[in-house]
Amino acid sequence: IVLEELQEPDSAVDEADNDAIRREVGALLFGISAWAKQLGVQPEGALRLANDRFEQRFRKMETLAESEHQTLSETPRETLLALWRKTAG
């Protein structure tokens, strides 16, 4: 079901239909939540954990950029991606 739902927002994006995109993304999130529950994972807790990990990684990126006298807002996209990869793990 999740793989099926994953493809549906693409057609809404192709049509530039914001309401359809919102509906399809919602259906995808609902499907992922149901799948998580089947796996015995509490979806809200898993999302909180993911947010915490993202924040930690983002702060590492900020620290690396600051060590090079840059801010993330001034950093080119390619450099941001390199920083993202560098902070993995």
Side-chain angles (χ1 to χ4, degrees):
I1 257 179
V2 172
L3 293 177
E4 195 176 295
E5 292 293 344
L6 188 58
Q7 296 171 354
E8 292 182 9
D10 288 339
S11 62
V13 169
D14 291 342
E15 296 170 15
D17 183 343
N18 288 334
D19 288 334
I21 292 169
R22 197 171 15 258
R23 281 192 307 273
E24 296 302 339
V25 168
L28 176 60
L29 292 171
F30 185 82
I32 290 171
S33 177
W35 180 52
K37 288 178 183 179
Q38 286 178 337
L39 296 173
V41 173
Q42 214 290 331
E44 187 175 339
L47 184 56
R48 281 196 181 113
L49 178 62
N51 282 336
D52 290 344
R53 291 183 68 210
F54 175 84
E55 285 181 30
Q56 290 171 3
R57 194 167 177 185
F58 190 83
R59 291 194 203 309
K60 287 179 186 177
M61 288 176 61
E62 288 177 318
T63 300
L64 286 172
E66 286 172 8
S67 73
E68 297 178 15
H69 307 291
Q70 294 181 337
T71 64
L72 293 181
S73 62
E74 298 169 338
T75 304
R77 181 173 167 32
E78 298 80 26
T79 306
L80 288 173
L81 291 172
L83 287 172
W84 183 255
R85 286 186 207 101
K86 197 176 201 179
T87 59

